[in-house]
């Protein structure tokens, strides 16, 4: 029954759970997780709720198709020419089966039109067990492990295994979508992020738990990330959460992010100073002989060692270790002085749609490493510029945010961001995107 190869996204939410679980391709055994997520029972209920109109649309397309095979609709005397005139899904449920998988239940009312009799109703019931496995290629996929369909008319029941064949087919299109999610998400024009599942999700009464490893590419080349000293594991929730989804991002995740941005050259800064070479010459006479013309003074900063993120209860901070070259001339920049600057910036974290937004708050007094004879003068001239302009540069680099693990059909709402020692916890609800909601309403 049904037509193979249906196009469109109508059936995707029926197996939208698979989309959430498909993040993205398998990883090498030597890797360890640095982030993860738990889809809670309330999140699973939401997926069932938004899936119902889509399931109804698909069943209408298949069961009302005049080319569909006949169903054994109750009485053995039922004509093989009976037609299904209407399909209404009364209920769709998804429930957890700990250590096994998921149970999908569908109850649908069918309107039957015999060729020479009064119309009548039948109830179609589908109970299917779903399992989340790793495919031979290492992708996560949903499969049907068992299916029990019945069509009931008055007091008579009949089984129809063709329905089960269709339930299996419904998984094909979502799994194709899951494979498409192996695309990397952009962080900057030259830097991309990707989330890799380490194993099939763990199913428990608390929900569906995923362990993920983050990888980055710069200019198409994988970045060898620093090794985490301690493998990350999902923190245990103190109590059941009313939120649909819990995401946890380790301190190592953030350090790896800034390490990749460093490799992409995102922190090679060019900062225009309010000073000119003429005003500098009043303080440092040698500058006047180097630059006969009055030119703007510029600071060119680069990282001398990798950035580091520190997470403590209620706060996040980024440490940058910079070498700052002071000079003038564009495009032929000529440096006349260099200094080291250690900068600590507070980080503000929030979530927009499916992106983690990171912005730099005010910088504490930078530590400038200079010779004693120059320290006071250079702090007077450049300390304020470094303190003000470095956060501006960082915020420009991070303005687009960092894509979180997510399904393409959903966005995140009602997000709570909680910073703990060594990890950040995100509690969020799922919301079906507008274009998918409109398709469901059309059903």
């Amino acid at each position: 029954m049904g037509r193979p190869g249906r196009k469109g996204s109508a059936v995707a939410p029926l197996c939208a759970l698979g989309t959430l679980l498909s993040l993205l391709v398998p990883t090498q055994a030597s890797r360890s997780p640095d982030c993860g997520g738990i889809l809670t029972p309330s999140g699973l209920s939401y997926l069932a709720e938004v899936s119902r109109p889509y399931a109804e649309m698909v069943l209408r397309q298949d069961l009302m198709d005049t080319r569909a095979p006949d169903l054994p609709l109750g009485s053995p005397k039922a004509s093989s020419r009976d037609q299904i005139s209407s399909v209404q899904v009364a209920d769709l449920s998804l429930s957890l089966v700990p250590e096994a998988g998921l149970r999908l239940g569908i109850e649908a009312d069918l309107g039957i039109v015999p060729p020479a009799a009064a119309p009548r109703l039948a109830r179609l019931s589908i109970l299917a067990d779903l399992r989340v496995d790793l495919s031979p290629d290492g992708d996560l996929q949903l499969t049907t492990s068992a299916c029990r369909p019945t069509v009931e008319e008055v007091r008579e029941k009949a089984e129809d295994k063709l329905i089960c064949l269709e339930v299996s087919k419904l998984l094909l299109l979502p799994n194709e979508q899951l494979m498409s999610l192996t695309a990397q998400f952009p962080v900057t024009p030259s830097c991309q992020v990707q989330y890799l599942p380490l194993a099939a999700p763990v199913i428990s009464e608390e929900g569906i738990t995923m362990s993920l490893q983050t990888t980055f590419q710069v200019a198409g080349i994988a970045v060898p990330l620093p090794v985490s000293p301690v493998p990350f594991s999902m923190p245990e929730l103190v109590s059941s959460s009313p939120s649909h989804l819990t995401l946890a991002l380790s301190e190592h995740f953030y350090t790896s992010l800034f390490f990749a941005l460093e490799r992409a050259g995102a922190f090679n800064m060019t900062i225009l100073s309010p000073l000119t070479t003429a005003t500098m010459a009043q303080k440092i006479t040698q500058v006047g002989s180097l630059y006969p013309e009055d030119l703007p003074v510029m600071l060119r900063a680069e990282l001398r060692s990798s950035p580091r993120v520190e997470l403590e209860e209620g706060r996040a901070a980024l440490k940058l270790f910079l070498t700052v070259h002071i000079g003038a001339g564009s495009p032929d920049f000529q440096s006349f002085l260099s200094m080291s600057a250690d900068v600590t910036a507070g980080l503000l974290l929030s979530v927009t749609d499916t992106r983690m937004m990171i912005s730099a708050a005010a910088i504490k007094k930078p530590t400038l490493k200079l010779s004693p004879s120059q320290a006071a003068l250079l702090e007077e001239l450049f300390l304020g510029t470094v303190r003000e302009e470095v956060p501006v540069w960082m915020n420009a680099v991070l303005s687009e945010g960092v894509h979180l693990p997510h399904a393409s059909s959903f966005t995140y709402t009602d997000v709570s961001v909680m910073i703990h020692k060594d990890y950040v916890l995100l509690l969020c609800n799922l919301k079906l995107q507008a274009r998918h909601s409109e398709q469901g309403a059309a059903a």
Side-chain angles (χ1 to χ4, degrees):
M1 181 176 63
R3 303 184 303 279
R6 283 190 311 273
K7 297 183 179 179
S9 58
V11 302
L14 179 60
C15 300
L17 173 66
T19 308
L20 287 170
L21 300 178
S22 74
L23 310 162
L24 293 164
V25 293
T27 185
Q28 299 174 4
S30 59
R31 290 177 176 166
S32 60
D34 57 10
C35 60
I38 301 175
L39 184 68
T40 66
S42 59
L44 201 61
S45 296
Y46 176 76
L47 293 181
E49 174 189 337
V50 299
S51 295
R52 189 181 63 79
Y54 290 83
E56 187 170 287
M57 178 191 298
V58 173
L59 288 172
R60 283 177 181 172
Q61 291 172 344
D62 287 342
L63 299 181
M64 296 172 65
D65 186 351
T66 57
R67 293 172 296 174
D70 294 319
L71 297 178
L73 297 171
S75 170
K77 298 179 182 180
S79 168
S80 62
R81 291 173 294 173
D82 286 356
Q83 295 294 319
I84 297 176
S85 60
S86 65
V87 177
Q88 183 174 3
V89 174
D91 183 62
L92 187 149
S93 64
L94 281 168
S95 56
L96 298 163
V97 181
E99 300 182 7
L102 307 170
R103 183 153 293 153
L104 168 65
I106 298 177
E107 297 286 332
D109 294 321
L110 310 179
I112 311 300
V113 181
R120 63 186 191 275
L121 292 176
R123 170 58 66 98
L124 168 65
S125 300
I126 304 172
L127 194 62
D129 291 336
L130 308 177
R131 189 174 63 245
V132 186
D133 294 315
L134 286 173
S135 72
D137 295 330
D139 296 308
L140 289 174
Q141 63 179 9
L142 277 173
T143 58
T144 304
S145 57
C147 183
R148 294 172 294 280
T150 57
V151 180
E152 181 177 2
E153 251 189 299
V154 191
R155 296 193 182 98
E156 300 183 47
K157 291 185 179 181
E159 290 192 358
D160 182 25
K161 293 300 181 183
L162 291 173
I163 294 283
C164 276
L165 293 177
E166 180 58 26
V167 169
S168 297
K169 290 178 182 179
L170 290 178
L171 301 178
L172 293 178
L173 184 58
N175 282 333
E176 290 171 2
Q177 283 192 344
L178 303 185
M179 293 177 64
S180 73
L181 290 179
T182 56
Q184 295 143 349
F185 300 112
V187 181
T188 68
S190 63
C191 180
Q192 294 81 37
V193 63
Q194 187 177 21
Y195 300 96
L196 309 177
L198 297 176
V202 176
I203 313 295
S204 67
E205 293 181 355
E206 287 71 32
I208 303 164
T209 302
M210 301 163 284
S211 294
L212 305 172
Q213 165 69 46
T214 312
T215 64
F216 295 91
Q217 288 196 1
V218 173
I221 300 175
V223 176
L225 299 174
V227 177
S228 175
V230 179
F232 179 70
S233 59
M234 282 294 297
E236 293 185 6
L237 301 181
V238 176
S239 59
S240 59
S241 171
S243 298
H244 296 163
L245 183 68
T246 299
L247 292 175
L249 308 169
S250 69
E251 185 178 88
H252 185 68
F253 165 86
Y254 289 97
T255 294
S256 297
L257 166 65
F258 285 99
F259 181 85
L261 290 173
E262 173 201 1
R263 290 298 182 94
F267 294 112
N268 293 337
M269 311 177 201
T270 299
I271 299 170
L272 184 62
S273 164
L275 302 174
T276 67
T277 53
T279 55
M280 281 286 297
Q282 297 173 11
K283 301 285 187 178
I284 304 175
T285 56
Q286 297 92 325
V287 174
S289 60
L290 290 173
Y291 304 96
E293 299 179 22
D294 190 16
L295 300 173
V297 173
M298 293 184 293
L299 308 182
R300 287 197 172 177
E302 58 189 22
L303 290 171
R304 68 178 190 273
S305 62
S306 297
R308 188 169 70 245
V309 174
E310 294 181 351
L311 300 178
E312 300 291 343
E313 290 296 324
R315 67 179 184 87
L318 172 66
K319 292 183 178 292
L320 297 177
F321 309 98
L322 303 170
T323 296
V324 181
H325 304 284
I326 304 167
S330 178
D332 299 323
F333 177 80
Q334 182 180 0
S335 172
F336 58 83
L337 188 65
S338 296
M339 62 181 180
S340 296
D342 293 350
V343 173
T344 300
L347 296 179
L348 303 178
L349 307 179
S350 61
V351 174
T352 299
D353 296 327
T354 56
R355 290 170 293 141
M356 166 70 74
M357 309 305 295
I358 306 173
S359 59
I363 287 180
K364 298 178 182 178
K365 182 179 178 180
T367 301
L368 304 183
K369 297 180 180 180
L370 308 158
S371 64
S373 61
Q374 298 175 319
L377 175 60
L378 292 181
E379 283 193 4
E380 174 190 344
L381 295 175
F382 300 113
L383 190 63
T385 300
V386 171
R387 176 183 287 175
E388 293 173 9
E389 296 300 327
V390 169
V392 172
W393 186 281
M394 291 170 54
N395 290 336
V397 169
L398 298 167
S399 61
E400 297 300 318
V402 180
H403 286 274
L404 295 165
H406 70 278
S408 58
S409 301
F410 293 86
T411 187
Y412 296 148
T413 64
D414 308 317
V415 181
S416 297
V417 180
M418 293 175 286
I419 303 174
H420 298 287
K421 181 173 174 55
D422 301 330
Y423 69 94
V424 173
L425 204 62
L426 308 177
L427 304 180
C428 46
N429 287 333
L430 302 173
K431 183 179 180 181
L432 188 65
Q433 294 188 41
R435 65 179 182 273
H436 299 283
S437 298
E438 292 168 1
Q439 291 170 355

